[in-house]
Amino acid sequence: MSRVKKERIELDRQQVSDFFERRAQTFDPKQPLTAVLYQDAHPEVASRRDALEKRQIEPLLRLTGSERVLDIGCGIGRWAQTIKDKIDIYHGIDASMSLVNIARERCIQSNIFFHPIGVEAITDDWLTANGLFNRVIISGILLYLDDIQVKTVLSVLARHLAVGGLVYLREPMGVEERLTLNSHWSEELSAHYSAIYRSRAEIREMLTESFPEERFLISPLKNLFSDEDLNNRLDTCQYFCFVERHS
């Protein structure tokens, strides 16, 4: 079955990797966002989603010009282009070399760095070598990771987030329950697609396990897009929250 509800299954890592390499090949400078926000048949939806997300979230990031930002799953540098002049330094990581190459061509400022690495490379040693981050962006990437990978990356981030730092998490989640697409054929994307849409309760549990309340404050999960035209999936919905380290 290519649509699996509730049951926990692992994704085919190679299939996920191949999917994103193919997405990079669809990149169109005239419609750049469709490569990473999909909506191939409706590029205007991708543009509106991008604009609305940034309009809502950027003020909540509380940027002052001194921030050290880590963007996990940076894709083509969507967030880098928006905040590059409002921060101190930015490190974006993505497992797709092709997407990273596009990001490097689109954003060449000296305070912006892109790394072609996957989340498994975000270790204590890597974070120590690249400095203490006080802003972390995790925007639509956890669904391509297995549960153990999600828990591992969240836990290591908790150990290295600076006091006063923020983690912004935006993720498509199952509306009623966990839904896994297991090499599911997508007519819209013309590709086999794999992803895990976890329930809000699952995401909340993962966050509370990784970010203990004695040191972190986790905001409620909120619906990012109230407009039905932007939430054009029946089984999933885009939610976001912030995690702030207070001690």
Side-chain angles (χ1 to χ4, degrees):
M1 293 179 61
S2 64
R3 289 175 58 88
V4 181
K5 294 187 176 182
K6 295 185 179 181
E7 184 182 351
R8 296 172 184 263
I9 63 173
E10 293 187 356
L11 301 179
D12 183 328
R13 306 310 315 160
Q14 189 59 53
Q15 194 274 330
V16 173
S17 177
D18 291 345
F19 170 79
F20 281 104
E21 287 301 312
R22 287 194 296 270
R23 290 306 298 173
Q25 305 310 311
T26 71
F27 177 76
D28 179 356
K30 295 180 181 179
Q31 301 286 354
L33 294 171
T34 58
V36 290
L37 296 183
Y38 314 146
Q39 303 294 333
D40 291 16
H42 305 283
E44 74 284 354
V45 173
S47 296
R48 289 172 59 205
R49 279 187 171 187
D50 177 70
L52 180 56
E53 179 183 8
K54 291 172 179 175
R55 188 163 62 248
Q56 288 192 76
I57 300 305
E58 187 181 335
L60 301 178
L61 290 172
R62 307 202 301 261
L63 301 178
T64 65
S66 63
E67 286 72 29
R68 296 179 56 85
V69 179
L70 175 63
D71 186 357
I72 301 175
C74 64
I76 62 172
R78 189 171 66 92
W79 271 103
Q81 287 204 309
T82 299
I83 64 175
K84 60 187 179 183
D85 298 322
K86 305 169 185 177
I87 60 173
D88 177 31
I89 196 165
Y90 167 101
H91 286 269
I93 74 162
D94 202 288
S96 169
M97 183 76 241
S98 297
L99 289 176
V100 166
N101 285 337
I102 294 171
R104 287 172 173 169
E105 292 176 0
R106 284 165 52 84
C107 198
I108 59 175
Q109 285 192 200
S110 60
N111 65 329
I112 304 296
F113 301 89
F114 295 103
H115 308 270
I117 58 176
V119 295
E120 67 280 355
I122 306 177
T123 62
D124 291 297
D125 288 343
W126 190 90
L127 287 168
T128 299
N130 286 280
L132 199 62
F133 292 99
N134 53 18
R135 295 293 184 274
V136 179
I137 297 172
I138 310 175
S139 188
I141 188 64
L142 299 187
L143 70 164
Y144 304 113
L145 308 177
D146 291 321
D147 287 356
I148 187 63
Q149 291 177 297
V150 174
K151 293 176 181 178
T152 297
V153 72
L154 292 180
S155 295
V156 73
L157 288 174
R159 292 195 292 272
H160 290 269
L161 183 69
V163 175
L166 294 172
V167 177
Y168 162 55
L169 171 69
R170 189 269 297 170
E171 183 79 357
M173 304 179 195
V175 173
E176 296 181 354
E177 58 191 357
R178 181 188 183 104
L179 169 66
T180 300
L181 299 183
N182 183 29
S183 195
H184 179 76
W185 177 255
S186 168
E187 291 291 345
E188 181 179 0
L189 302 176
S190 298
H192 286 95
Y193 180 70
S194 295
I196 301 172
Y197 299 92
R198 297 172 177 88
S199 68
R200 280 171 286 174
E202 287 179 293
I203 293 293
R204 188 76 188 184
E205 181 180 359
M206 288 177 164
L207 289 172
T208 55
E209 286 179 359
S210 298
F211 299 99
E213 63 179 5
E214 60 266 21
R215 291 191 295 129
F216 299 93
L217 176 65
I218 305 172
S219 72
L221 286 164
K222 296 182 180 180
N223 188 339
L224 183 61
F225 304 125
S226 56
D227 189 331
E228 290 186 2
D229 290 341
L230 298 182
N231 256 329
N232 58 355
R233 300 286 188 262
L234 294 177
D235 298 322
T236 65
C237 188
Q238 299 278 348
Y239 292 95
F240 77 94
C241 71
F242 280 87
V243 179
E244 181 170 7
R245 181 173 177 180
H246 53 74
S247 63

mmCIF file of all heavy atoms in Angstrom, residues 215-246:
data_model
loop_
_atom_site.group_PDB
_atom_site.id
_atom_site.type_symbol
_atom_site.label_atom_id
_atom_site.label_comp_id
_atom_site.label_asym_id
_atom_site.label_seq_id
_atom_site.Cartn_x
_atom_site.Cartn_y
_atom_site.Cartn_z
ATOM 1 N N ARG A 215 13.902 24.208 30.744
ATOM 2 C CA ARG A 215 14.807 25.081 29.994
ATOM 3 C C ARG A 215 14.177 25.683 28.750
ATOM 4 O O ARG A 215 14.731 26.609 28.161
ATOM 5 C CB ARG A 215 16.068 24.299 29.586
ATOM 6 C CG ARG A 215 16.976 23.938 30.740
ATOM 7 C CD ARG A 215 18.309 23.410 30.258
ATOM 8 N NE ARG A 215 18.149 22.150 29.533
ATOM 9 C CZ ARG A 215 18.656 21.911 28.332
ATOM 10 N NH1 ARG A 215 19.337 22.849 27.689
ATOM 11 N NH2 ARG A 215 18.473 20.734 27.751
ATOM 12 N N PHE A 216 13.030 25.155 28.319
ATOM 13 C CA PHE A 216 12.439 25.582 27.052
ATOM 14 C C PHE A 216 10.948 25.855 27.201
ATOM 15 O O PHE A 216 10.259 25.227 28.003
ATOM 16 C CB PHE A 216 12.633 24.500 25.974
ATOM 17 C CG PHE A 216 14.060 24.187 25.657
ATOM 18 C CD1 PHE A 216 14.721 23.163 26.316
ATOM 19 C CD2 PHE A 216 14.748 24.915 24.694
ATOM 20 C CE1 PHE A 216 16.051 22.866 26.018
ATOM 21 C CE2 PHE A 216 16.071 24.625 24.394
ATOM 22 C CZ PHE A 216 16.721 23.597 25.059
ATOM 23 N N LEU A 217 10.481 26.782 26.383
ATOM 24 C CA LEU A 217 9.055 27.060 26.280
ATOM 25 C C LEU A 217 8.608 26.722 24.864
ATOM 26 O O LEU A 217 9.161 27.246 23.893
ATOM 27 C CB LEU A 217 8.770 28.537 26.580
ATOM 28 C CG LEU A 217 7.306 28.990 26.419
ATOM 29 C CD1 LEU A 217 6.427 28.284 27.453
ATOM 30 C CD2 LEU A 217 7.195 30.505 26.567
ATOM 31 N N ILE A 218 7.619 25.844 24.751
ATOM 32 C CA ILE A 218 7.101 25.429 23.446
ATOM 33 C C ILE A 218 5.723 26.058 23.246
ATOM 34 O O ILE A 218 4.817 25.842 24.048
ATOM 35 C CB ILE A 218 6.994 23.896 23.350
ATOM 36 C CG1 ILE A 218 8.342 23.231 23.672
ATOM 37 C CG2 ILE A 218 6.508 23.477 21.960
ATOM 38 C CD1 ILE A 218 8.263 21.719 23.794
ATOM 39 N N SER A 219 5.584 26.837 22.194
ATOM 40 C CA SER A 219 4.296 27.483 21.935
ATOM 41 C C SER A 219 3.306 26.467 21.363
ATOM 42 O O SER A 219 3.702 25.414 20.853
ATOM 43 C CB SER A 219 4.480 28.639 20.951
ATOM 44 O OG SER A 219 4.751 28.154 19.646
ATOM 45 N N PRO A 220 2.005 26.754 21.433
ATOM 46 C CA PRO A 220 1.011 25.852 20.838
ATOM 47 C C PRO A 220 1.201 25.744 19.320
ATOM 48 O O PRO A 220 1.666 26.684 18.671
ATOM 49 C CB PRO A 220 -0.326 26.529 21.174
ATOM 50 C CG PRO A 220 -0.028 27.421 22.332
ATOM 51 C CD PRO A 220 1.375 27.898 22.123
ATOM 52 N N LEU A 221 0.836 24.612 18.771
ATOM 53 C CA LEU A 221 0.842 24.433 17.322
ATOM 54 C C LEU A 221 -0.342 25.201 16.730
ATOM 55 O O LEU A 221 -1.473 25.034 17.163
ATOM 56 C CB LEU A 221 0.746 22.952 16.961
ATOM 57 C CG LEU A 221 2.007 22.127 17.197
ATOM 58 C CD1 LEU A 221 1.680 20.632 17.187
ATOM 59 C CD2 LEU A 221 3.060 22.432 16.132
ATOM 60 N N LYS A 222 -0.045 26.028 15.736
ATOM 61 C CA LYS A 222 -1.083 26.840 15.112
ATOM 62 C C LYS A 222 -1.162 26.559 13.613
ATOM 63 O O LYS A 222 -0.149 26.250 12.980
ATOM 64 C CB LYS A 222 -0.800 28.327 15.328
ATOM 65 C CG LYS A 222 -0.835 28.769 16.778
ATOM 66 C CD LYS A 222 -0.597 30.256 16.888
ATOM 67 C CE LYS A 222 -0.635 30.730 18.336
ATOM 68 N NZ LYS A 222 -0.392 32.191 18.443
ATOM 69 N N ASN A 223 -2.354 26.708 13.073
ATOM 70 C CA ASN A 223 -2.572 26.557 11.641
ATOM 71 C C ASN A 223 -1.921 27.740 10.921
ATOM 72 O O ASN A 223 -2.224 28.892 11.225
ATOM 73 C CB ASN A 223 -4.073 26.509 11.359
ATOM 74 C CG ASN A 223 -4.393 26.157 9.918
ATOM 75 O OD1 ASN A 223 -3.558 26.310 9.024
ATOM 76 N ND2 ASN A 223 -5.599 25.681 9.683
ATOM 77 N N LEU A 224 -1.020 27.451 9.989
ATOM 78 C CA LEU A 224 -0.319 28.527 9.288
ATOM 79 C C LEU A 224 -1.194 29.197 8.241
ATOM 80 O O LEU A 224 -1.142 30.415 8.067
ATOM 81 C CB LEU A 224 0.946 27.977 8.625
ATOM 82 C CG LEU A 224 1.833 28.995 7.896
ATOM 83 C CD1 LEU A 224 2.337 30.068 8.861
ATOM 84 C CD2 LEU A 224 3.005 28.296 7.215
ATOM 85 N N PHE A 225 -2.002 28.412 7.543
ATOM 86 C CA PHE A 225 -2.812 28.955 6.450
ATOM 87 C C PHE A 225 -4.293 28.753 6.762
ATOM 88 O O PHE A 225 -4.809 27.641 6.700
ATOM 89 C CB PHE A 225 -2.483 28.253 5.128
ATOM 90 C CG PHE A 225 -1.031 28.312 4.749
ATOM 91 C CD1 PHE A 225 -0.325 27.149 4.476
ATOM 92 C CD2 PHE A 225 -0.362 29.525 4.664
ATOM 93 C CE1 PHE A 225 1.016 27.194 4.115
ATOM 94 C CE2 PHE A 225 0.977 29.581 4.309
ATOM 95 C CZ PHE A 225 1.668 28.411 4.039
ATOM 96 N N SER A 226 -4.979 29.824 7.056
ATOM 97 C CA SER A 226 -6.417 29.720 7.322
ATOM 98 C C SER A 226 -7.219 29.696 6.029
ATOM 99 O O SER A 226 -8.361 29.245 6.003
ATOM 100 C CB SER A 226 -6.880 30.889 8.197
ATOM 101 O OG SER A 226 -6.554 32.131 7.584
ATOM 102 N N ASP A 227 -6.623 30.188 4.949
ATOM 103 C CA ASP A 227 -7.291 30.224 3.645
ATOM 104 C C ASP A 227 -7.362 28.813 3.071
ATOM 105 O O ASP A 227 -6.346 28.134 2.905
ATOM 106 C CB ASP A 227 -6.504 31.132 2.695
ATOM 107 C CG ASP A 227 -7.246 31.405 1.399
ATOM 108 O OD1 ASP A 227 -8.049 30.549 0.972
ATOM 109 O OD2 ASP A 227 -7.019 32.469 0.792
ATOM 110 N N GLU A 228 -8.555 28.342 2.768
ATOM 111 C CA GLU A 228 -8.718 26.989 2.234
ATOM 112 C C GLU A 228 -7.990 26.804 0.910
ATOM 113 O O GLU A 228 -7.562 25.697 0.579
ATOM 114 C CB GLU A 228 -10.210 26.673 2.065
ATOM 115 C CG GLU A 228 -10.956 26.512 3.380
ATOM 116 C CD GLU A 228 -12.377 26.067 3.169
ATOM 117 O OE1 GLU A 228 -12.774 25.854 1.997
ATOM 118 O OE2 GLU A 228 -13.115 25.940 4.165
ATOM 119 N N ASP A 229 -7.840 27.866 0.138
ATOM 120 C CA ASP A 229 -7.126 27.765 -1.134
ATOM 121 C C ASP A 229 -5.658 27.407 -0.919
ATOM 122 O O ASP A 229 -5.028 26.796 -1.779
ATOM 123 C CB ASP A 229 -7.215 29.081 -1.913
ATOM 124 C CG ASP A 229 -8.618 29.340 -2.436
ATOM 125 O OD1 ASP A 229 -9.392 28.373 -2.516
ATOM 126 O OD2 ASP A 229 -8.927 30.498 -2.743
ATOM 127 N N LEU A 230 -5.100 27.818 0.221
ATOM 128 C CA LEU A 230 -3.709 27.527 0.518
ATOM 129 C C LEU A 230 -3.548 26.190 1.240
ATOM 130 O O LEU A 230 -2.499 25.568 1.168
ATOM 131 C CB LEU A 230 -3.104 28.657 1.363
ATOM 132 C CG LEU A 230 -3.087 30.029 0.686
ATOM 133 C CD1 LEU A 230 -2.426 31.059 1.590
ATOM 134 C CD2 LEU A 230 -2.349 29.969 -0.649
ATOM 135 N N ASN A 231 -4.572 25.778 1.937
ATOM 136 C CA ASN A 231 -4.587 24.461 2.576
ATOM 137 C C ASN A 231 -5.352 23.496 1.678
ATOM 138 O O ASN A 231 -6.437 23.033 2.005
ATOM 139 C CB ASN A 231 -5.280 24.538 3.945
ATOM 140 C CG ASN A 231 -4.279 24.495 5.074
ATOM 141 O OD1 ASN A 231 -3.224 23.883 4.971
ATOM 142 N ND2 ASN A 231 -4.610 25.156 6.168
ATOM 143 N N ASN A 232 -4.797 23.214 0.519
ATOM 144 C CA ASN A 232 -5.552 22.457 -0.488
ATOM 145 C C ASN A 232 -5.249 20.962 -0.464
ATOM 146 O O ASN A 232 -5.156 20.321 -1.492
ATOM 147 C CB ASN A 232 -5.300 23.034 -1.882
ATOM 148 C CG ASN A 232 -3.822 23.023 -2.265
ATOM 149 O OD1 ASN A 232 -2.960 22.681 -1.471
ATOM 150 N ND2 ASN A 232 -3.549 23.396 -3.509
ATOM 151 N N ARG A 233 -5.096 20.407 0.727
ATOM 152 C CA ARG A 233 -4.935 18.964 0.905
ATOM 153 C C ARG A 233 -5.988 18.498 1.898
ATOM 154 O O ARG A 233 -6.227 19.147 2.917
ATOM 155 C CB ARG A 233 -3.543 18.618 1.421
ATOM 156 C CG ARG A 233 -2.401 19.049 0.498
ATOM 157 C CD ARG A 233 -2.303 18.148 -0.728
ATOM 158 N NE ARG A 233 -1.101 18.430 -1.512
ATOM 159 C CZ ARG A 233 -1.048 19.184 -2.593
ATOM 160 N NH1 ARG A 233 -2.169 19.758 -3.035
ATOM 161 N NH2 ARG A 233 0.065 19.368 -3.246
ATOM 162 N N LEU A 234 -6.612 17.363 1.638
ATOM 163 C CA LEU A 234 -7.686 16.887 2.495
ATOM 164 C C LEU A 234 -7.184 16.288 3.795
ATOM 165 O O LEU A 234 -7.791 16.486 4.857
ATOM 166 C CB LEU A 234 -8.532 15.846 1.740
ATOM 167 C CG LEU A 234 -9.322 16.349 0.530
ATOM 168 C CD1 LEU A 234 -10.032 15.185 -0.148
ATOM 169 C CD2 LEU A 234 -10.323 17.415 0.947
ATOM 170 N N ASP A 235 -6.080 15.546 3.739
ATOM 171 C CA ASP A 235 -5.622 14.774 4.892
ATOM 172 C C ASP A 235 -4.540 15.457 5.707
ATOM 173 O O ASP A 235 -4.170 14.970 6.775
ATOM 174 C CB ASP A 235 -5.105 13.400 4.444
ATOM 175 C CG ASP A 235 -6.176 12.559 3.792
ATOM 176 O OD1 ASP A 235 -7.329 12.625 4.264
ATOM 177 O OD2 ASP A 235 -5.861 11.829 2.828
ATOM 178 N N THR A 236 -3.992 16.567 5.202
ATOM 179 C CA THR A 236 -2.881 17.221 5.894
ATOM 180 C C THR A 236 -3.117 18.724 5.996
ATOM 181 O O THR A 236 -3.901 19.297 5.236
ATOM 182 C CB THR A 236 -1.546 16.967 5.163
ATOM 183 O OG1 THR A 236 -1.578 17.578 3.873
ATOM 184 C CG2 THR A 236 -1.295 15.470 5.012
ATOM 185 N N CYS A 237 -2.397 19.332 6.928
ATOM 186 C CA CYS A 237 -2.535 20.767 7.145
ATOM 187 C C CYS A 237 -1.206 21.305 7.674
ATOM 188 O O CYS A 237 -0.485 20.607 8.400
ATOM 189 C CB CYS A 237 -3.650 21.021 8.157
ATOM 190 S SG CYS A 237 -4.096 22.762 8.355
ATOM 191 N N GLN A 238 -0.866 22.535 7.325
ATOM 192 C CA GLN A 238 0.394 23.144 7.742
ATOM 193 C C GLN A 238 0.242 23.799 9.120
ATOM 194 O O GLN A 238 -0.578 24.688 9.305
ATOM 195 C CB GLN A 238 0.827 24.208 6.722
ATOM 196 C CG GLN A 238 1.070 23.681 5.320
ATOM 197 C CD GLN A 238 2.453 23.071 5.156
ATOM 198 O OE1 GLN A 238 3.320 23.229 6.010
ATOM 199 N NE2 GLN A 238 2.668 22.393 4.048
ATOM 200 N N TYR A 239 1.074 23.331 10.060
ATOM 201 C CA TYR A 239 1.076 23.899 11.401
ATOM 202 C C TYR A 239 2.470 24.420 11.734
ATOM 203 O O TYR A 239 3.465 23.974 11.163
ATOM 204 C CB TYR A 239 0.666 22.857 12.437
ATOM 205 C CG TYR A 239 -0.780 22.422 12.335
ATOM 206 C CD1 TYR A 239 -1.129 21.291 11.614
ATOM 207 C CD2 TYR A 239 -1.787 23.150 12.968
ATOM 208 C CE1 TYR A 239 -2.453 20.892 11.514
ATOM 209 C CE2 TYR A 239 -3.116 22.755 12.874
ATOM 210 C CZ TYR A 239 -3.445 21.617 12.141
ATOM 211 O OH TYR A 239 -4.754 21.238 12.043
ATOM 212 N N PHE A 240 2.524 25.345 12.695
ATOM 213 C CA PHE A 240 3.826 25.848 13.123
ATOM 214 C C PHE A 240 3.831 26.108 14.611
ATOM 215 O O PHE A 240 2.780 26.249 15.263
ATOM 216 C CB PHE A 240 4.186 27.133 12.369
ATOM 217 C CG PHE A 240 3.468 28.368 12.856
ATOM 218 C CD1 PHE A 240 4.049 29.202 13.809
ATOM 219 C CD2 PHE A 240 2.218 28.703 12.360
ATOM 220 C CE1 PHE A 240 3.387 30.339 14.263
ATOM 221 C CE2 PHE A 240 1.557 29.840 12.800
ATOM 222 C CZ PHE A 240 2.147 30.662 13.759
ATOM 223 N N CYS A 241 5.035 26.178 15.163
ATOM 224 C CA CYS A 241 5.209 26.573 16.553
ATOM 225 C C CYS A 241 6.629 27.101 16.742
ATOM 226 O O CYS A 241 7.465 27.014 15.824
ATOM 227 C CB CYS A 241 4.946 25.411 17.517
ATOM 228 S SG CYS A 241 6.211 24.122 17.494
ATOM 229 N N PHE A 242 6.889 27.656 17.917
ATOM 230 C CA PHE A 242 8.224 28.119 18.266
ATOM 231 C C PHE A 242 8.668 27.430 19.553
ATOM 232 O O PHE A 242 7.841 27.148 20.445
ATOM 233 C CB PHE A 242 8.242 29.631 18.485
ATOM 234 C CG PHE A 242 8.300 30.423 17.212
ATOM 235 C CD1 PHE A 242 7.145 30.766 16.544
ATOM 236 C CD2 PHE A 242 9.520 30.810 16.685
ATOM 237 C CE1 PHE A 242 7.181 31.498 15.366
ATOM 238 C CE2 PHE A 242 9.584 31.549 15.512
ATOM 239 C CZ PHE A 242 8.415 31.886 14.845
ATOM 240 N N VAL A 243 9.957 27.176 19.635
ATOM 241 C CA VAL A 243 10.570 26.705 20.865
ATOM 242 C C VAL A 243 11.593 27.760 21.284
ATOM 243 O O VAL A 243 12.439 28.155 20.478
ATOM 244 C CB VAL A 243 11.274 25.345 20.675
ATOM 245 C CG1 VAL A 243 11.936 24.903 21.977
ATOM 246 C CG2 VAL A 243 10.300 24.289 20.175
ATOM 247 N N GLU A 244 11.506 28.232 22.524
ATOM 248 C CA GLU A 244 12.428 29.249 23.014
ATOM 249 C C GLU A 244 13.178 28.723 24.233
ATOM 250 O O GLU A 244 12.574 28.176 25.167
ATOM 251 C CB GLU A 244 11.700 30.533 23.377
ATOM 252 C CG GLU A 244 12.609 31.642 23.866
ATOM 253 C CD GLU A 244 11.912 32.979 24.007
ATOM 254 O OE1 GLU A 244 10.664 33.013 23.845
ATOM 255 O OE2 GLU A 244 12.598 33.981 24.269
ATOM 256 N N ARG A 245 14.500 28.873 24.196
ATOM 257 C CA ARG A 245 15.291 28.470 25.358
ATOM 258 C C ARG A 245 15.383 29.641 26.337
ATOM 259 O O ARG A 245 15.849 30.726 25.971
ATOM 260 C CB ARG A 245 16.698 28.041 24.941
ATOM 261 C CG ARG A 245 17.539 27.597 26.139
ATOM 262 C CD ARG A 245 18.868 27.024 25.758
ATOM 263 N NE ARG A 245 19.610 26.697 26.978
ATOM 264 C CZ ARG A 245 20.833 26.173 26.995
ATOM 265 N NH1 ARG A 245 21.472 25.911 25.856
ATOM 266 N NH2 ARG A 245 21.443 25.914 28.148
ATOM 267 N N HIS A 246 14.933 29.418 27.561
ATOM 268 C CA HIS A 246 14.930 30.495 28.532
ATOM 269 C C HIS A 246 16.016 30.350 29.605
ATOM 270 O O HIS A 246 16.225 31.280 30.398
ATOM 271 C CB HIS A 246 13.554 30.629 29.198
ATOM 272 C CG HIS A 246 13.021 29.360 29.792
ATOM 273 N ND1 HIS A 246 13.508 28.818 30.949
ATOM 274 C CD2 HIS A 246 12.043 28.532 29.362
ATOM 275 C CE1 HIS A 246 12.833 27.703 31.231
ATOM 276 N NE2 HIS A 246 11.942 27.515 30.295
#
